[in-house]
Amino acid sequence: MSLGPPGLSTDAERASLLSKIGYWYRDMDQLQNARLALEESLSLVPSQYETVKQLLATLIKLGDKKAVLE
């Protein structure tokens, strides 16, 4: 299932928006949705430092130690 919005022209644009969506979900304590959005963002552009930080913070809040180490 793709959470990304249609109509964006580049992977970088989609990844950026997904990263923001993930941040907002995490801020609203919807951690599973945040994780999905952040992981999809990183699947498009794996080198986004801020997105990696947000995903790690989300995984820590979820208590998923295995995923944090990976």
Side-chain angles (χ1 to χ4, degrees):
M1 177 180 96
S2 176
L3 297 173
L8 295 177
S9 61
T10 68
D11 284 348
E13 289 173 325
R14 287 188 288 276
S16 177
L17 188 55
L18 283 163
S19 183
K20 290 175 187 173
I21 290 168
Y23 175 82
W24 294 327
Y25 272 134
R26 192 170 73 85
D27 195 44
M28 294 184 295
D29 211 33
Q30 294 183 20
L31 301 178
Q32 288 297 338
N33 288 332
R35 180 180 186 168
L36 290 173
L38 294 166
E39 287 176 343
E40 186 170 347
S41 175
L42 289 171
S43 75
L44 295 170
V45 181
S47 60
Q48 289 185 27
Y49 177 71
E50 288 299 320
T51 304
V52 171
K53 283 184 8 183
Q54 289 299 321
L55 180 57
L56 286 173
T58 301
L59 293 171
I60 289 168
K61 282 185 93 172
L62 284 168
D64 192 341
K65 294 177 185 177
K66 182 180 177 186
V68 169
L69 293 174
E70 290 173 4

